[in-house]
Amino acid sequence: MERVLHDTWYARPAARSWTCEPAPAGVREFHAALAGYAPTPLTETPGPAAGLGVACLLVKDESSRLGLPAFKALGASWAIHRILAARPGDDPVLLVTATDGNHGRAVARMARLFGQRARVFVPKGVHPAAVAAIAAEGARVTEVGGDYDEAVRGAARAADEPGAVLVQDTAWPGYEETPGWIVEGYSTLFAELDEQLPGTPDLVVVPAGVGSLAQAAVRHYRAGTGAPALMTVEPDSAACVLASLLRGAPVSVETGGTIMAGLNCGTPSSLAWPYLRDGLDAAVAISDADSAAAARDLAADGIAAGPCGAAALAGARAALTGEGAEARRAALGVGPGATVVLLSTEGPDANPAL
Ligand SMILES: Cc1ncc(COP(=O)(O)O)c(C=O)c1O
């Protein structure tokens, strides 16, 4: 366990020339056929752009995605679709997962839409309103006594029962197929971005918990559609991706409290790790205060971002401005003419604790 993280910056510009296979075809078409599907907006935000020293700052706003206030339903819906398609017969299944909020709500919603039952494990301290939002989808919610990693272990045990299937958005050795489907599901977000943004952005900023969304970004942009720099942003109290990149091997960090509940993860996904190691340009860690300030500034420009969503702007600020910014900008290849895309992964309603 890493207890204190002193470094808050990692860069590896060679990542830009690394390539990998893209996500499979058909995911976007699947989502487009779901009730309520619409591409989420990509919005220019001149206010926060001014201080960043770039030409154009765009926000991919996931505050309303398939009727929920975060991007997670993209992964849950595709994975549950694949799980059900792979099962013989029509017997209903119990879909089990662990969450610090958004993923569990998405699994519960999709289970209901697909006519299945759901059981959701939450770490200690998840706000009662977040629990209520999951329960309102018809899921049984179980609070464990510990952190997110302990909730994942609880869900994995419960999914050992006959008729139960684990739908987890993080992978570990021996459990990688379903998390792989979840990552595939996220590809729709990037397919939309390609349509909305003519040309390749210079930098895409991705809030990271276990790194699955960042894995989807790497898979998309390192598969030949262009080569933006890719950077993750984590809370400084739960920066497992940054710590792993600095170490050169996956490590677990001890986590505490953060307003960025969806990013409060202590262990990178085993499936994401090789993609992050080889295909990610940079990683940065930020404080709760940075995230809160970024949310306020986005709100002033009409973007409703929750703490995880606003983390992207806070991360861009940490990387592109302040002491030592010249070297960090050079590592990212970001000059005054650059176009930067922030993934604002949730709206304020995703985190009723605030
Ligand atoms: C709102 C939000 N943003 C970002 C993330 C990070 O995604 P990942 O855990 O795949 O890195 C999460 C994960 O739950 C989330 O809920």
Side-chain angles (χ1 to χ4, degrees):
M1 285 268 174
E2 303 282 297
R3 177 118 191 96
V4 181
L5 192 73
H6 296 287
D7 282 308
T8 55
W9 171 250
Y10 158 93
R12 185 177 168 272
R16 233 130 54 230
S17 53
W18 185 76
T19 55
C20 63
E21 289 293 307
V27 181
R28 171 85 191 275
E29 291 70 20
F30 164 78
H31 285 133
L34 292 177
Y37 170 80
T40 56
L42 182 70
T43 306
E44 189 161 358
T45 54
L52 279 183
V54 298
C56 179
L57 184 68
L58 297 157
V59 176
K60 181 73 170 152
D61 178 359
E62 293 293 311
S63 59
S64 179
R65 171 65 84 179
L66 290 166
L68 292 172
F71 75 100
K72 304 293 296 194
L74 290 175
S77 57
W78 176 248
I80 292 171
H81 164 71
R82 292 299 309 261
I83 287 167
L84 297 177
R87 287 180 75 87
D90 291 332
D91 287 349
V93 288
L94 176 67
L95 300 161
V96 184
T97 195
T99 189
D100 32 35
N102 294 316
H103 172 68
R105 192 169 169 193
V107 168
R109 165 72 61 92
M110 291 302 151
R112 186 160 64 75
L113 288 182
F114 288 106
Q116 311 296 323
R117 288 177 304 126
R119 181 163 184 204
V120 179
F121 287 75
V122 297
K124 192 173 170 203
V126 165
H127 195 274
V131 172
I134 299 168
E137 302 292 344
R140 177 177 162 203
V141 184
T142 303
E143 187 175 328
V144 303
D147 62 6
Y148 173 78
D149 283 356
E150 193 170 326
V152 172
R153 287 191 288 274
R157 277 193 300 275
D160 274 342
E161 298 294 317
V165 183
L166 186 65
V167 191
Q168 203 55 61
D169 53 349
T170 189
W172 53 88
Y175 179 73
E176 293 189 324
E177 186 175 49
T178 298
W181 288 331
I182 287 174
V183 173
E184 286 175 12
Y186 299 157
S187 65
T188 291
L189 188 159
F190 299 100
E192 291 172 5
L193 242 171
D194 281 352
E195 284 174 11
Q196 291 166 322
L197 179 64
T200 305
D202 297 282
L203 171 65
V204 178
V205 186
V206 188
V210 301
S212 291
L213 179 62
Q215 179 190 350
V218 169
R219 259 190 105 174
H220 183 77
Y221 288 111
R222 300 288 177 253
T225 56
L230 301 173
M231 179 174 81
T232 53
V233 185
E234 294 168 283
D236 52 12
S237 58
C240 63
V241 169
L242 176 63
S244 300
L245 291 166
L246 289 170
R247 177 67 63 87
V251 293
S252 293
V253 300
E254 216 169 273
T255 57
T258 167
I259 60 170
M260 293 166 270
L263 312 183
N264 198 9
C265 306
T267 307
S269 163
S270 65
L271 200 60
W273 168 246
Y275 290 89
L276 304 181
R277 180 194 59 204
D278 295 337
L280 200 64
D281 294 77
V284 70
I286 54 140
S287 68
D288 279 2
D290 297 335
S291 160
R296 280 194 298 275
D297 294 343
L298 286 168
D301 251 29
I303 306 279
C308 299
L313 174 59
R317 285 175 167 166
L320 302 180
T321 66
E323 202 187 323
E326 212 173 302
R328 291 190 298 272
R329 294 177 75 101
L332 291 167
V334 168
T339 296
V340 175
V341 173
L342 308 177
L343 303 190
S344 181
T345 49
E346 67 178 357
D349 317 339
N351 198 333
L354 301 170

mmCIF file of all heavy atoms in Angstrom, residues 187-227:
data_model
loop_
_atom_site.group_PDB
_atom_site.id
_atom_site.type_symbol
_atom_site.label_atom_id
_atom_site.label_comp_id
_atom_site.label_asym_id
_atom_site.label_seq_id
_atom_site.Cartn_x
_atom_site.Cartn_y
_atom_site.Cartn_z
ATOM 1 N N SER A 187 -16.814 3.248 -25.754
ATOM 2 C CA SER A 187 -16.305 3.714 -27.055
ATOM 3 C C SER A 187 -17.298 4.640 -27.753
ATOM 4 O O SER A 187 -16.897 5.476 -28.575
ATOM 5 C CB SER A 187 -15.946 2.529 -27.961
ATOM 6 O OG SER A 187 -17.114 1.788 -28.290
ATOM 7 N N THR A 188 -18.581 4.506 -27.416
ATOM 8 C CA THR A 188 -19.591 5.368 -28.051
ATOM 9 C C THR A 188 -19.313 6.845 -27.774
ATOM 10 O O THR A 188 -19.501 7.702 -28.650
ATOM 11 C CB THR A 188 -21.000 4.965 -27.551
ATOM 12 O OG1 THR A 188 -21.299 3.673 -28.100
ATOM 13 C CG2 THR A 188 -22.070 5.959 -27.979
ATOM 14 N N LEU A 189 -18.857 7.135 -26.559
ATOM 15 C CA LEU A 189 -18.548 8.535 -26.207
ATOM 16 C C LEU A 189 -17.514 9.114 -27.184
ATOM 17 O O LEU A 189 -17.652 10.256 -27.654
ATOM 18 C CB LEU A 189 -18.026 8.543 -24.770
ATOM 19 C CG LEU A 189 -17.782 9.856 -24.047
ATOM 20 C CD1 LEU A 189 -17.777 9.603 -22.533
ATOM 21 C CD2 LEU A 189 -16.471 10.473 -24.437
ATOM 22 N N PHE A 190 -16.512 8.318 -27.514
ATOM 23 C CA PHE A 190 -15.432 8.817 -28.375
ATOM 24 C C PHE A 190 -15.862 8.837 -29.845
ATOM 25 O O PHE A 190 -15.432 9.701 -30.609
ATOM 26 C CB PHE A 190 -14.169 7.980 -28.161
ATOM 27 C CG PHE A 190 -13.687 8.061 -26.738
ATOM 28 C CD1 PHE A 190 -13.961 7.054 -25.831
ATOM 29 C CD2 PHE A 190 -13.015 9.187 -26.294
ATOM 30 C CE1 PHE A 190 -13.558 7.147 -24.505
ATOM 31 C CE2 PHE A 190 -12.609 9.298 -24.973
ATOM 32 C CZ PHE A 190 -12.878 8.276 -24.071
ATOM 33 N N ALA A 191 -16.723 7.881 -30.214
ATOM 34 C CA ALA A 191 -17.259 7.901 -31.584
ATOM 35 C C ALA A 191 -18.069 9.181 -31.797
ATOM 36 O O ALA A 191 -17.978 9.826 -32.846
ATOM 37 C CB ALA A 191 -18.125 6.670 -31.826
ATOM 38 N N GLU A 192 -18.835 9.564 -30.783
ATOM 39 C CA GLU A 192 -19.600 10.820 -30.879
ATOM 40 C C GLU A 192 -18.645 12.012 -31.015
ATOM 41 O O GLU A 192 -18.875 12.917 -31.819
ATOM 42 C CB GLU A 192 -20.456 11.010 -29.629
ATOM 43 C CG GLU A 192 -21.603 10.031 -29.503
ATOM 44 C CD GLU A 192 -22.294 10.165 -28.147
ATOM 45 O OE1 GLU A 192 -21.943 11.064 -27.358
ATOM 46 O OE2 GLU A 192 -23.191 9.347 -27.877
ATOM 47 N N LEU A 193 -17.599 11.981 -30.190
ATOM 48 C CA LEU A 193 -16.627 13.086 -30.214
ATOM 49 C C LEU A 193 -16.029 13.267 -31.608
ATOM 50 O O LEU A 193 -15.888 14.393 -32.090
ATOM 51 C CB LEU A 193 -15.512 12.758 -29.232
ATOM 52 C CG LEU A 193 -15.308 13.693 -28.059
ATOM 53 C CD1 LEU A 193 -14.320 13.101 -27.069
ATOM 54 C CD2 LEU A 193 -14.853 15.047 -28.516
ATOM 55 N N ASP A 194 -15.694 12.159 -32.242
ATOM 56 C CA ASP A 194 -15.128 12.234 -33.597
ATOM 57 C C ASP A 194 -16.078 12.961 -34.539
ATOM 58 O O ASP A 194 -15.651 13.748 -35.387
ATOM 59 C CB ASP A 194 -14.871 10.827 -34.155
ATOM 60 C CG ASP A 194 -13.596 10.218 -33.588
ATOM 61 O OD1 ASP A 194 -12.850 10.935 -32.906
ATOM 62 O OD2 ASP A 194 -13.375 9.013 -33.822
ATOM 63 N N GLU A 195 -17.382 12.654 -34.391
ATOM 64 C CA GLU A 195 -18.365 13.301 -35.273
ATOM 65 C C GLU A 195 -18.537 14.775 -34.943
ATOM 66 O O GLU A 195 -18.780 15.591 -35.828
ATOM 67 C CB GLU A 195 -19.721 12.608 -35.112
ATOM 68 C CG GLU A 195 -19.773 11.271 -35.811
ATOM 69 C CD GLU A 195 -21.061 10.531 -35.521
ATOM 70 O OE1 GLU A 195 -22.002 11.132 -34.947
ATOM 71 O OE2 GLU A 195 -21.116 9.346 -35.856
ATOM 72 N N GLN A 196 -18.432 15.091 -33.655
ATOM 73 C CA GLN A 196 -18.709 16.468 -33.219
ATOM 74 C C GLN A 196 -17.531 17.411 -33.444
ATOM 75 O O GLN A 196 -17.720 18.609 -33.528
ATOM 76 C CB GLN A 196 -19.078 16.458 -31.727
ATOM 77 C CG GLN A 196 -20.424 15.785 -31.465
ATOM 78 C CD GLN A 196 -20.635 15.475 -29.992
ATOM 79 O OE1 GLN A 196 -19.709 15.098 -29.283
ATOM 80 N NE2 GLN A 196 -21.863 15.623 -29.526
ATOM 81 N N LEU A 197 -16.337 16.845 -33.512
ATOM 82 C CA LEU A 197 -15.133 17.672 -33.588
ATOM 83 C C LEU A 197 -14.365 17.352 -34.862
ATOM 84 O O LEU A 197 -13.709 16.317 -34.947
ATOM 85 C CB LEU A 197 -14.253 17.393 -32.364
ATOM 86 C CG LEU A 197 -12.939 18.147 -32.275
ATOM 87 C CD1 LEU A 197 -13.185 19.648 -32.156
ATOM 88 C CD2 LEU A 197 -12.135 17.662 -31.063
ATOM 89 N N PRO A 198 -14.469 18.205 -35.859
ATOM 90 C CA PRO A 198 -13.682 17.932 -37.056
ATOM 91 C C PRO A 198 -12.194 18.069 -36.718
ATOM 92 O O PRO A 198 -11.802 19.023 -36.063
ATOM 93 C CB PRO A 198 -14.127 19.030 -38.029
ATOM 94 C CG PRO A 198 -15.010 19.955 -37.272
ATOM 95 C CD PRO A 198 -15.173 19.485 -35.866
ATOM 96 N N GLY A 199 -11.411 17.104 -37.080
ATOM 97 C CA GLY A 199 -9.971 17.161 -36.765
ATOM 98 C C GLY A 199 -9.686 16.523 -35.419
ATOM 99 O O GLY A 199 -10.589 16.146 -34.677
ATOM 100 N N THR A 200 -8.417 16.419 -35.129
ATOM 101 C CA THR A 200 -7.976 15.755 -33.902
ATOM 102 C C THR A 200 -7.672 16.790 -32.833
ATOM 103 O O THR A 200 -6.975 17.764 -33.113
ATOM 104 C CB THR A 200 -6.679 14.968 -34.201
ATOM 105 O OG1 THR A 200 -6.935 14.097 -35.294
ATOM 106 C CG2 THR A 200 -6.251 14.139 -32.995
ATOM 107 N N PRO A 201 -8.183 16.595 -31.597
ATOM 108 C CA PRO A 201 -7.787 17.524 -30.540
ATOM 109 C C PRO A 201 -6.314 17.330 -30.195
ATOM 110 O O PRO A 201 -5.714 16.313 -30.547
ATOM 111 C CB PRO A 201 -8.680 17.114 -29.362
ATOM 112 C CG PRO A 201 -9.093 15.708 -29.650
ATOM 113 C CD PRO A 201 -9.068 15.532 -31.138
ATOM 114 N N ASP A 202 -5.732 18.311 -29.513
ATOM 115 C CA ASP A 202 -4.329 18.180 -29.104
ATOM 116 C C ASP A 202 -4.196 17.453 -27.779
ATOM 117 O O ASP A 202 -3.196 16.777 -27.530
ATOM 118 C CB ASP A 202 -3.696 19.575 -29.011
ATOM 119 C CG ASP A 202 -3.694 20.256 -30.369
ATOM 120 O OD1 ASP A 202 -2.829 19.909 -31.180
ATOM 121 O OD2 ASP A 202 -4.600 21.075 -30.632
ATOM 122 N N LEU A 203 -5.215 17.608 -26.927
ATOM 123 C CA LEU A 203 -5.167 16.986 -25.596
ATOM 124 C C LEU A 203 -6.583 16.593 -25.186
ATOM 125 O O LEU A 203 -7.525 17.381 -25.345
ATOM 126 C CB LEU A 203 -4.595 17.991 -24.578
ATOM 127 C CG LEU A 203 -4.665 17.604 -23.101
ATOM 128 C CD1 LEU A 203 -3.786 16.384 -22.808
ATOM 129 C CD2 LEU A 203 -4.236 18.783 -22.203
ATOM 130 N N VAL A 204 -6.720 15.360 -24.684
ATOM 131 C CA VAL A 204 -7.997 14.903 -24.119
ATOM 132 C C VAL A 204 -7.740 14.569 -22.653
ATOM 133 O O VAL A 204 -6.817 13.806 -22.333
ATOM 134 C CB VAL A 204 -8.543 13.669 -24.877
ATOM 135 C CG1 VAL A 204 -9.850 13.187 -24.250
ATOM 136 C CG2 VAL A 204 -8.754 13.995 -26.351
ATOM 137 N N VAL A 205 -8.560 15.151 -21.770
ATOM 138 C CA VAL A 205 -8.356 14.998 -20.325
ATOM 139 C C VAL A 205 -9.457 14.111 -19.751
ATOM 140 O O VAL A 205 -10.646 14.395 -19.923
ATOM 141 C CB VAL A 205 -8.345 16.371 -19.628
ATOM 142 C CG1 VAL A 205 -7.983 16.201 -18.160
ATOM 143 C CG2 VAL A 205 -7.369 17.325 -20.315
ATOM 144 N N VAL A 206 -9.043 13.031 -19.064
ATOM 145 C CA VAL A 206 -9.968 11.986 -18.654
ATOM 146 C C VAL A 206 -9.912 11.770 -17.131
ATOM 147 O O VAL A 206 -8.870 11.340 -16.612
ATOM 148 C CB VAL A 206 -9.592 10.637 -19.330
ATOM 149 C CG1 VAL A 206 -10.659 9.576 -19.064
ATOM 150 C CG2 VAL A 206 -9.348 10.808 -20.813
ATOM 151 N N PRO A 207 -10.993 12.030 -16.407
ATOM 152 C CA PRO A 207 -11.004 11.686 -14.983
ATOM 153 C C PRO A 207 -10.856 10.173 -14.805
ATOM 154 O O PRO A 207 -11.468 9.399 -15.544
ATOM 155 C CB PRO A 207 -12.394 12.151 -14.513
ATOM 156 C CG PRO A 207 -12.836 13.150 -15.540
ATOM 157 C CD PRO A 207 -12.239 12.681 -16.835
ATOM 158 N N ALA A 208 -10.038 9.748 -13.852
ATOM 159 C CA ALA A 208 -9.775 8.308 -13.700
ATOM 160 C C ALA A 208 -10.029 7.832 -12.275
ATOM 161 O O ALA A 208 -9.623 8.466 -11.306
ATOM 162 C CB ALA A 208 -8.342 7.979 -14.101
ATOM 163 N N GLY A 209 -10.734 6.694 -12.199
ATOM 164 C CA GLY A 209 -10.878 5.961 -10.949
ATOM 165 C C GLY A 209 -9.996 4.729 -11.043
ATOM 166 O O GLY A 209 -8.831 4.725 -10.647
ATOM 167 N N VAL A 210 -10.521 3.644 -11.645
ATOM 168 C CA VAL A 210 -9.711 2.442 -11.890
ATOM 169 C C VAL A 210 -9.028 2.500 -13.253
ATOM 170 O O VAL A 210 -8.223 1.639 -13.582
ATOM 171 C CB VAL A 210 -10.569 1.156 -11.788
ATOM 172 C CG1 VAL A 210 -11.212 1.037 -10.416
ATOM 173 C CG2 VAL A 210 -11.616 1.105 -12.908
ATOM 174 N N GLY A 211 -9.396 3.478 -14.089
ATOM 175 C CA GLY A 211 -8.734 3.663 -15.380
ATOM 176 C C GLY A 211 -9.447 3.016 -16.559
ATOM 177 O O GLY A 211 -8.897 3.000 -17.669
ATOM 178 N N SER A 212 -10.671 2.530 -16.369
ATOM 179 C CA SER A 212 -11.367 1.883 -17.491
ATOM 180 C C SER A 212 -11.775 2.892 -18.565
ATOM 181 O O SER A 212 -11.659 2.615 -19.766
ATOM 182 C CB SER A 212 -12.606 1.123 -16.995
ATOM 183 O OG SER A 212 -12.228 0.002 -16.236
ATOM 184 N N LEU A 213 -12.268 4.054 -18.149
ATOM 185 C CA LEU A 213 -12.610 5.080 -19.135
ATOM 186 C C LEU A 213 -11.353 5.548 -19.866
ATOM 187 O O LEU A 213 -11.364 5.740 -21.086
ATOM 188 C CB LEU A 213 -13.312 6.264 -18.453
ATOM 189 C CG LEU A 213 -13.686 7.414 -19.387
ATOM 190 C CD1 LEU A 213 -14.679 6.964 -20.455
ATOM 191 C CD2 LEU A 213 -14.249 8.599 -18.596
ATOM 192 N N ALA A 214 -10.263 5.698 -19.129
ATOM 193 C CA ALA A 214 -9.000 6.090 -19.759
ATOM 194 C C ALA A 214 -8.533 5.004 -20.729
ATOM 195 O O ALA A 214 -7.978 5.301 -21.797
ATOM 196 C CB ALA A 214 -7.940 6.356 -18.690
ATOM 197 N N GLN A 215 -8.757 3.749 -20.384
ATOM 198 C CA GLN A 215 -8.425 2.647 -21.301
ATOM 199 C C GLN A 215 -9.203 2.796 -22.603
ATOM 200 O O GLN A 215 -8.647 2.620 -23.699
ATOM 201 C CB GLN A 215 -8.759 1.300 -20.646
ATOM 202 C CG GLN A 215 -8.472 0.112 -21.547
ATOM 203 C CD GLN A 215 -9.034 -1.200 -20.986
ATOM 204 O OE1 GLN A 215 -9.487 -1.254 -19.835
ATOM 205 N NE2 GLN A 215 -9.006 -2.238 -21.792
ATOM 206 N N ALA A 216 -10.490 3.143 -22.480
ATOM 207 C CA ALA A 216 -11.310 3.327 -23.688
ATOM 208 C C ALA A 216 -10.769 4.484 -24.520
ATOM 209 O O ALA A 216 -10.761 4.421 -25.754
ATOM 210 C CB ALA A 216 -12.767 3.579 -23.298
ATOM 211 N N ALA A 217 -10.287 5.538 -23.851
ATOM 212 C CA ALA A 217 -9.710 6.682 -24.582
ATOM 213 C C ALA A 217 -8.449 6.251 -25.321
ATOM 214 O O ALA A 217 -8.257 6.579 -26.497
ATOM 215 C CB ALA A 217 -9.398 7.812 -23.605
ATOM 216 N N VAL A 218 -7.604 5.499 -24.646
ATOM 217 C CA VAL A 218 -6.363 5.028 -25.287
ATOM 218 C C VAL A 218 -6.708 4.150 -26.485
ATOM 219 O O VAL A 218 -6.160 4.317 -27.583
ATOM 220 C CB VAL A 218 -5.488 4.253 -24.277
ATOM 221 C CG1 VAL A 218 -4.347 3.536 -24.989
ATOM 222 C CG2 VAL A 218 -4.940 5.203 -23.210
ATOM 223 N N ARG A 219 -7.648 3.231 -26.288
ATOM 224 C CA ARG A 219 -7.999 2.324 -27.397
ATOM 225 C C ARG A 219 -8.513 3.096 -28.591
ATOM 226 O O ARG A 219 -8.233 2.764 -29.743
ATOM 227 C CB ARG A 219 -9.065 1.340 -26.928
ATOM 228 C CG ARG A 219 -8.471 -0.005 -26.590
ATOM 229 C CD ARG A 219 -9.530 -1.026 -26.356
ATOM 230 N NE ARG A 219 -9.661 -1.941 -27.473
ATOM 231 C CZ ARG A 219 -10.458 -2.998 -27.452
ATOM 232 N NH1 ARG A 219 -11.171 -3.274 -26.378
ATOM 233 N NH2 ARG A 219 -10.534 -3.800 -28.480
ATOM 234 N N HIS A 220 -9.292 4.128 -28.312
ATOM 235 C CA HIS A 220 -9.860 4.904 -29.414
ATOM 236 C C HIS A 220 -8.786 5.709 -30.145
ATOM 237 O O HIS A 220 -8.678 5.641 -31.364
ATOM 238 C CB HIS A 220 -10.940 5.844 -28.883
ATOM 239 C CG HIS A 220 -11.608 6.614 -29.963
ATOM 240 N ND1 HIS A 220 -12.565 6.060 -30.793
ATOM 241 C CD2 HIS A 220 -11.422 7.883 -30.412
ATOM 242 C CE1 HIS A 220 -12.953 6.954 -31.678
ATOM 243 N NE2 HIS A 220 -12.273 8.074 -31.472
ATOM 244 N N TYR A 221 -8.014 6.444 -29.377
ATOM 245 C CA TYR A 221 -7.101 7.402 -30.025
ATOM 246 C C TYR A 221 -5.775 6.786 -30.446
ATOM 247 O O TYR A 221 -5.036 7.387 -31.221
ATOM 248 C CB TYR A 221 -6.853 8.592 -29.110
ATOM 249 C CG TYR A 221 -8.062 9.499 -29.001
ATOM 250 C CD1 TYR A 221 -8.779 9.597 -27.823
ATOM 251 C CD2 TYR A 221 -8.487 10.240 -30.101
ATOM 252 C CE1 TYR A 221 -9.892 10.427 -27.735
ATOM 253 C CE2 TYR A 221 -9.595 11.069 -30.031
ATOM 254 C CZ TYR A 221 -10.288 11.157 -28.844
ATOM 255 O OH TYR A 221 -11.385 11.973 -28.762
ATOM 256 N N ARG A 222 -5.458 5.621 -29.951
ATOM 257 C CA ARG A 222 -4.195 4.985 -30.362
ATOM 258 C C ARG A 222 -4.440 3.920 -31.429
ATOM 259 O O ARG A 222 -3.589 3.092 -31.685
ATOM 260 C CB ARG A 222 -3.486 4.358 -29.151
ATOM 261 C CG ARG A 222 -3.124 5.353 -28.063
ATOM 262 C CD ARG A 222 -1.977 6.257 -28.473
ATOM 263 N NE ARG A 222 -1.714 7.243 -27.428
ATOM 264 C CZ ARG A 222 -2.022 8.539 -27.534
ATOM 265 N NH1 ARG A 222 -2.612 9.010 -28.619
ATOM 266 N NH2 ARG A 222 -1.735 9.375 -26.553
ATOM 267 N N ALA A 223 -5.650 3.965 -32.021
ATOM 268 C CA ALA A 223 -5.964 2.978 -33.055
ATOM 269 C C ALA A 223 -5.971 3.617 -34.429
ATOM 270 O O ALA A 223 -6.633 3.140 -35.341
ATOM 271 C CB ALA A 223 -7.306 2.320 -32.756
ATOM 272 N N GLY A 224 -5.283 4.717 -34.546
ATOM 273 C CA GLY A 224 -5.076 5.258 -35.878
ATOM 274 C C GLY A 224 -5.987 6.396 -36.264
ATOM 275 O O GLY A 224 -5.902 6.890 -37.372
ATOM 276 N N THR A 225 -6.871 6.878 -35.347
ATOM 277 C CA THR A 225 -7.755 7.980 -35.723
ATOM 278 C C THR A 225 -7.125 9.340 -35.406
ATOM 279 O O THR A 225 -7.780 10.345 -35.430
ATOM 280 C CB THR A 225 -9.115 7.884 -34.992
ATOM 281 O OG1 THR A 225 -8.847 7.831 -33.578
ATOM 282 C CG2 THR A 225 -9.909 6.685 -35.424
ATOM 283 N N GLY A 226 -5.862 9.358 -35.092
ATOM 284 C CA GLY A 226 -5.199 10.612 -34.740
ATOM 285 C C GLY A 226 -4.428 10.409 -33.464
ATOM 286 O O GLY A 226 -4.529 9.365 -32.845
ATOM 287 N N ALA A 227 -3.666 11.400 -33.061
ATOM 288 C CA ALA A 227 -2.814 11.179 -31.895
ATOM 289 C C ALA A 227 -2.822 12.360 -30.936
ATOM 290 O O ALA A 227 -1.828 13.052 -30.793
ATOM 291 C CB ALA A 227 -1.394 10.880 -32.349
#
